[in-house]
Amino acid sequence: MKTKRPTVRDVAREAGVSYQTVSRVINNDTHVSPATRERVMAAIESIGFRPNRAAQIFQTERSHTIEAVIFYGGFNRFLFEMAHTAHQLGYHFSISAISEDEFISSLDSASSRFVDGLLLIPMVELNVTYDDLQRLTDGIPVVQIGAPLGANIPSVIYAQSLGARLATQHLIDLGHRRIAEITGPALNYDARDRHLGYRDTLRDNGIPAGQSIAGDYSLESGYQAMATLVESGEPLTAVFVANDSMAMGALTALRERGISVPDDISIVGFDDIPEAAHFVPALTTVRQDFNLMGKTAIEYLVRLIEDEGAPIQQTVLHPKLVVRGSTAPPRT
Amino acid sequence: MKTKRPTVRDVAREAGVSYQTVSRVINNDTHVSPATRERVMAAIESIGFRPNRAAQIFQTERSHTIEAVIFYGGFNRFLFEMAHTAHQLGYHFSISAISEDEFISSLDSASSRFVDGLLLIPMVELNVTYDDLQRLTDGIPVVQIGAPLGANIPSVIYAQSLGARLATQHLIDLGHRRIAEITGPALNYDARDRHLGYRDTLRDNGIPAGQSIAGDYSLESGYQAMATLVESGEPLTAVFVANDSMAMGALTALRERGISVPDDISIVGFDDIPEAAHFVPALTTVRQDFNLMGKTAIEYLVRLIEDEGAPIQQTVLHPKLVVRGSTAPPRT
DNA sequence: TGTAAAATTGTGAACAGTCACACATGGTAT
DNA sequence: ATACCATGTGTGACTGTTCACAATTTTACA
């Protein structure tokens, strides 16, 4: 029961001009009087017209699209793996890299481009509901990578708080009792869930919360945060760092101060990036497989596209702890 | 003087069937007799028909495209930056991630998708000339990222051999005379040019070439290569490693063997990835700005698209040496 | 062999824009 | 005043494909 999209002719009728004039307006043609343009714009707005990009490309033989041809190989794994999976399933893969304020407009133009499915990879909390999304995108299937656990939206996530629990419990099991934390950015829900997992694990073990310093997931911020932590003078024997990049920065900060890892302080990271095994010392961390997440998300999205009845679900992948050399029992 | 593309009707005339039958064939519809299908396929082949994807999308309202919506932020910088630049210039950005054998088919379907421009990011030598490319893509503008210096193709490159020269000369200036090398994959022209820069610099300084071990740019291969190098027993005081990832692996291999960097052996890398400053010791390396390269390439591509007369050129960016803690004069 | 069913093939129309051109109006230079 | 031009607007034709349906041929089976 899909009502058909309004066309230039509908707009023309509404605005009392010819369809050609509407065409001129949507192409920012000169030779349209300001008054007429105004009227057409109002009509477009009022009936919710979106130009049919396929028809435009068909007619003009121009798509305004640039395609990057990349050979399968080891770099830029995440986006790359998704593109590859999409291709294997018979879909083209395009990227819309936007700032947060372009979010809405990007979604609502998707339907005019006949995008079959959208993959959302937000890094901050989206304050839109699934219903909002559906309305914005005109019902185009959406799968989100990374979302709060239990969120009512088709999504693929790693259980962040579980990962944080594994990391924190590992420290506790080693005998640590003064465990600080370097968190990710506050608006990021992965970061928040990692924080909660850390906090709850301490609480469940009857251990008081340690200091918590906020970073932004960047190498530099990890370096800064660790410096702050050390210079605060607060006693601590272990730090849970919310991602591996920050952990790398943290290790540098400790090394510069002559503090030994893991003898003086144990460090646990999160993500298990390929470099983690080569940090000094090799980093104990929580493994998430981004490629798997991307692949799973694409496959699910294609299922949603091709099977109307496919259920809304959240796929929760379980991270696991990888113990290496950056953790040890505290000095006695 | 563009001859217009053949359509289903042209194919139909050629094959002696109706256009609808042609449509059935290109959509893999059942209900077409094998003989007819065969005949239509031959006709398609013979007149070089490619379905007009815009018309298909227009008609079916399905694009077979998945779009990833990514927020501007620090991750996956390279593709991301290009997508962002393209958007700012009014273009959509899509990725075609292919294996080498899909290369040709990907290029020749580009014209049927009305892609306005192609960005080639090969990681191995392409054995096609610019003319071949132009013919394959039906004249669609192409810009290649990374190519041999002086190649006759629109391209944006970093002067790889210059970078290698800077690195090697730095080692020589410090007093090193036994300088080995860990190279990238042999088929990669960046890797080859880095090797040549290294070789020529030694030659120009009248220093005999050191050992050369091939890696594949991966962390692991750097680790392996350095292990091999050390265990060969050949005396050496410095190693030029063809990229930072391998250098990281190399540092690990040395550390495991109790060999001190830079006291026993100096190491120079290539790329200056963000992590390089946090290696132990911080890595002396050659800086290339990938974002700049991506941005430059997109801007040039758009110029080629929008201005027929824009000249074919190769933009050569100059890398620079970043000296950190992994290099020092050799032990006396 | 007849007849229904299935398989194969063909015809007309529709999709939503843009292009080329036509036309009307009003201002300006001669 | 006349011719010319710029501006603003409208009309008809066209793009290449697929859909719905019709027509024809072949197959299956009583």
Side-chain angles (χ1 to χ4, degrees):
Chain A
M1 176 74 9
K2 50 186 63 166
T3 59
K4 50 206 159 315
R5 315 160 51 83
T7 75
V8 275
R9 290 166 216 267
D10 297 324
V11 175
R13 190 171 335 101
E14 181 77 10
V17 297
S18 74
Y19 52 80
Q20 175 58 18
T21 298
V22 177
S23 173
R24 288 193 182 97
V25 169
I26 64 185
N27 288 291
N28 287 314
D29 197 303
T30 50
H31 302 293
V32 177
S33 72
T36 308
R37 162 164 282 125
E38 190 70 27
R39 205 140 36 85
V40 171
M41 300 278 253
I44 287 174
E45 185 67 28
S46 102
I47 68 177
F49 166 82
R50 299 261 126 221
N52 180 328
R53 227 175 81 84
Q56 291 176 314
I57 296 172
F58 177 39
Q59 160 69 28
T60 60
E61 308 207 334
R62 292 256 299 151
S63 71
H64 290 276
T65 296
I66 285 173
E67 179 169 301
V69 179
I70 309 176
F71 289 80
Y72 192 81
F75 93 118
N76 256 298
R77 294 176 298 279
F78 186 45
L79 289 178
F80 191 85
E81 193 66 36
M82 292 192 290
H84 195 67
T85 304
H87 279 258
Q88 287 185 322
L89 295 173
Y91 287 81
H92 297 268
F93 185 80
S94 79
I95 295 184
S96 162
I98 58 177
S99 54
E100 285 172 58
D101 44 319
E102 295 168 313
F103 180 58
I104 302 295
S105 77
S106 171
L107 290 187
D108 108 325
S109 69
S111 80
S112 92
R113 285 177 284 120
F114 299 104
V115 165
D116 291 344
L118 287 165
L119 202 64
L120 258 43
I121 312 177
M123 281 180 308
V124 295
E125 182 111 40
L126 296 178
N127 44 10
V128 287
T129 67
Y130 181 46
D131 282 349
D132 288 338
L133 277 182
Q134 288 293 87
R135 199 163 333 102
L136 273 169
T137 61
D138 219 9
I140 293 174
V142 169
V143 168
Q144 188 167 323
I145 290 188
L149 184 64
N152 175 36
I153 179 172
S155 46
V156 177
I157 68 172
Y158 261 96
Q160 302 297 321
S161 64
L162 169 61
R165 276 179 175 280
L166 293 173
T168 312
Q169 191 67 50
H170 169 64
L171 293 172
I172 294 171
D173 291 348
L174 285 170
H176 292 277
R177 291 299 177 269
R178 297 175 178 284
I179 306 172
E181 158 193 50
I182 296 176
T183 71
L187 291 173
N188 181 305
Y189 32 75
D190 283 0
R192 199 186 50 220
D193 285 352
R194 290 175 195 182
H195 164 69
L196 295 177
Y198 155 84
R199 191 199 62 186
D200 293 351
T201 307
L202 290 182
R203 192 198 53 209
D204 295 352
N205 285 269
I207 296 175
Q211 267 193 95
S212 177
I213 308 269
D216 62 7
Y217 277 164
S218 73
L219 242 166
E220 267 319 305
S221 76
Y223 177 88
Q224 292 296 342
M226 184 54 87
T228 306
L229 213 47
V230 167
E231 278 152 20
S232 75
E234 198 83 11
L236 55 92
T237 65
V239 182
F240 167 56
V241 186
N243 80 349
D244 288 355
S245 280
M246 290 197 297
M248 187 178 207
L251 290 175
T252 302
L254 291 171
R255 189 180 319 109
E256 288 179 358
R257 287 166 179 74
I259 299 172
S260 166
V261 176
D263 299 335
D264 299 322
I265 291 183
S266 285
I267 298 285
V268 188
F270 206 112
D271 283 346
D272 195 29
I273 61 178
E275 291 82 6
H278 292 261
F279 287 5
V280 184
L283 189 69
T284 294
T285 187
V286 177
R287 175 173 299 164
Q288 303 192 84
D289 185 336
F290 290 106
N291 290 358
L292 175 62
M293 191 155 55
K295 194 171 148 74
T296 305
I298 293 280
E299 287 170 347
Y300 178 31
L301 182 53
V302 170
R303 208 173 333 127
L304 285 177
I305 291 168
E306 297 182 351
D307 173 10
E308 291 273 328
I312 305 299
Q313 66 189 43
Q314 180 171 65
T315 299
V316 181
L317 300 171
H318 289 225
K320 57 183 192 178
L321 185 71
V322 179
V323 178
R324 298 202 183 93
S326 65
T327 50
R331 273 189 205 287
T332 46
Chain B
M1 178 69 14
K2 48 186 66 168
T3 60
K4 49 204 161 314
R5 314 160 52 81
T7 74
V8 277
R9 291 170 212 264
D10 297 324
V11 175
R13 192 172 334 102
E14 181 77 10
V17 296
S18 75
Y19 52 82
Q20 175 58 22
T21 300
V22 176
S23 172
R24 288 192 181 98
V25 169
I26 63 184
N27 287 292
N28 286 314
D29 198 301
T30 51
H31 301 295
V32 178
S33 73
T36 307
R37 161 165 283 123
E38 191 70 25
R39 205 141 35 86
V40 172
M41 301 278 252
I44 287 174
E45 185 66 28
S46 103
I47 68 178
F49 166 81
R50 300 261 127 222
N52 180 326
R53 227 174 80 84
Q56 292 177 313
I57 297 173
F58 177 42
Q59 163 68 26
T60 61
E61 307 206 336
R62 292 256 299 152
S63 70
H64 290 277
T65 296
I66 285 173
E67 179 168 301
V69 179
I70 309 176
F71 289 80
Y72 192 80
F75 94 116
N76 256 298
R77 294 176 299 278
F78 187 45
L79 289 178
F80 191 86
E81 192 67 36
M82 292 190 292
H84 195 68
T85 304
H87 279 258
Q88 287 184 323
L89 295 173
Y91 287 81
H92 297 269
F93 185 80
S94 80
I95 295 184
S96 163
I98 58 176
S99 54
E100 285 174 57
D101 45 318
E102 295 169 312
F103 180 59
I104 302 295
S105 77
S106 170
L107 290 188
D108 108 329
S109 69
S111 81
S112 91
R113 286 176 284 119
F114 298 104
V115 165
D116 291 344
L118 286 165
L119 203 65
L120 257 44
I121 312 177
M123 280 179 311
V124 295
E125 182 111 37
L126 295 179
N127 44 10
V128 287
T129 66
Y130 182 46
D131 282 347
D132 289 338
L133 276 181
Q134 287 295 87
R135 199 163 332 102
L136 273 170
T137 60
D138 219 9
I140 294 174
V142 169
V143 168
Q144 188 168 322
I145 291 189
L149 185 64
N152 174 36
I153 179 172
S155 45
V156 177
I157 67 172
Y158 261 96
Q160 302 297 320
S161 64
L162 169 61
R165 276 180 175 280
L166 293 174
T168 312
Q169 192 65 51
H170 169 63
L171 293 172
I172 294 170
D173 291 348
L174 285 171
H176 293 277
R177 290 299 176 269
R178 298 175 177 282
I179 306 173
E181 156 192 55
I182 297 176
T183 71
L187 291 172
N188 182 303
Y189 33 73
D190 282 1
R192 200 188 50 221
D193 285 351
R194 290 175 197 183
H195 164 67
L196 295 177
Y198 155 84
R199 192 200 59 186
D200 294 351
T201 307
L202 289 182
R203 194 199 52 209
D204 294 352
N205 285 269
I207 297 175
Q211 269 193 92
S212 178
I213 308 270
D216 62 7
Y217 276 165
S218 72
L219 241 167
E220 268 319 305
S221 77
Y223 177 87
Q224 292 296 342
M226 183 54 88
T228 307
L229 213 47
V230 167
E231 279 151 23
S232 75
E234 197 83 11
L236 56 90
T237 64
V239 183
F240 167 57
V241 186
N243 80 349
D244 289 354
S245 279
M246 291 197 296
M248 188 179 206
L251 289 175
T252 303
L254 291 172
R255 191 180 317 110
E256 288 179 358
R257 287 165 179 75
I259 299 171
S260 166
V261 176
D263 298 335
D264 300 322
I265 292 183
S266 285
I267 298 285
V268 188
F270 207 113
D271 284 348
D272 196 29
I273 60 177
E275 292 82 5
H278 292 261
F279 287 3
V280 184
L283 190 70
T284 294
T285 187
V286 178
R287 174 174 299 164
Q288 303 192 85
D289 185 336
F290 290 105
N291 290 357
L292 176 62
M293 192 156 52
K295 195 172 147 74
T296 305
I298 293 279
E299 287 171 347
Y300 178 30
L301 182 54
V302 169
R303 207 172 334 124
L304 286 177
I305 292 169
E306 298 183 350
D307 173 10
E308 291 274 329
I312 305 300
Q313 67 189 44
Q314 179 172 64
T315 299
V316 181
L317 300 172
H318 288 226
K320 57 181 194 180
L321 185 71
V322 180
V323 178
R324 297 203 183 92
S326 66
T327 49
R331 268 190 208 291
T332 45

